[in-house]
Amino acid sequence: ICSAATIYNPRGNAGHRDSRKRWSLLFKYEGETLYTSGNRTLRSDSSHPVLLPRGCTYEWQCIQAGHCIFLEFECDLSLPEPIGFFVGNGNKLLRMMKDLEYKLTLPSPTVHAEGLRDAYSILLYLLQSNAPKYTPNNKAQRLLPAMEHIAKHYNEHITNDTLASLTGVSTVYFRKLTLRTKK
């Protein structure tokens, strides 16, 4: 971790960066900034942090004034374009980044290790926030109580009658449901 800081960007502020030297996570928790690389434009605001990889070239423009917190760090990987995320309500991310910013100012012998841990936690949070959510279809949702029962009692004798009663259907219909779901 090289640095973490909060800055204020006035409206209309803009710039260009060629082949970025370090990775940086930027989170514009007030206002809005646009990052353009090639044909792609990413927005950074209170719901959209932007990860700027080492090696990427981009232009940025502050559309709406406000504060931005950034975390700059070393990583061996290089990527040609910025990466955008959606976090919904950015309060948790802001708190995580502010905590890391503060910790890096402390004269603690463990600050480097704690900073790495916190930086990885932030990156993991971003990856998890963009992970596709599993939404079962109606049939799978109907079978969910039976699947949970099987997971908890896999080493016991389980009958179709028991599983059918957990799902609220007849044993015959339960068998049909499980056959259709397998296809």
Side-chain angles (χ1 to χ4, degrees):
I1 299 173
C2 302
S3 62
T6 299
I7 58 173
Y8 179 81
N9 260 339
R11 185 174 187 268
N13 218 11
H16 175 84
R17 190 95 179 247
D18 282 319
S19 191
R20 200 178 161 77
K21 302 291 183 235
R22 293 186 180 116
W23 284 73
S24 186
L25 173 63
L26 292 122
F27 181 46
K28 183 87 177 239
Y29 60 93
E30 295 171 346
E32 180 180 2
T33 297
L34 298 179
Y35 294 88
T36 304
S37 178
N39 295 332
R40 191 169 174 212
T41 299
L42 297 173
R43 173 179 48 164
S44 180
D45 61 16
S46 63
S47 296
H48 300 89
V50 173
L51 188 60
L52 301 169
R54 182 183 86 181
C56 76
T57 297
Y58 59 92
E59 293 179 5
W60 61 273
Q61 181 175 10
C62 181
I63 302 300
Q64 185 180 10
H67 286 92
C68 173
I69 187 167
F70 69 89
L71 168 64
E72 211 169 44
F73 56 96
E74 295 286 348
C75 178
D76 292 338
L77 297 174
S78 294
L79 293 174
E81 292 186 346
I83 303 165
F85 295 92
F86 174 73
V87 293
N89 181 341
N91 289 335
K92 181 176 181 178
L93 178 62
L94 179 60
R95 189 172 51 255
M96 293 169 78
M97 292 183 75
K98 285 284 190 185
D99 286 348
L100 178 56
E101 178 184 25
Y102 172 72
K103 282 180 186 173
L104 293 177
T105 65
L106 299 176
S108 167
T110 60
V111 74
H112 182 70
E114 289 178 23
L116 284 174
R117 178 201 61 208
D118 293 351
Y120 278 118
S121 294
I122 290 168
L123 293 172
L124 182 60
Y125 173 73
L126 290 176
L127 292 172
Q128 289 173 336
S129 69
N130 282 356
K133 308 290 187 254
Y134 172 70
T135 308
N137 61 25
N138 287 342
K139 290 176 191 165
Q141 199 158 5
R142 171 65 72 123
L143 294 172
L144 197 56
M147 292 187 288
E148 289 174 354
H149 183 78
I150 292 169
K152 289 178 184 173
H153 304 278
Y154 66 92
N155 57 347
E156 300 172 13
H157 178 71
I158 303 171
T159 66
N160 280 337
D161 293 333
T162 302
L163 298 175
S165 69
L166 290 169
T167 59
V169 297
S170 71
T171 303
V172 172
Y173 187 65
F174 177 78
R175 288 185 191 136
K176 288 180 182 178
L177 274 177
T178 57
L179 287 174
R180 287 188 210 146
T181 307
K182 290 180 184 177
K183 292 180 181 177

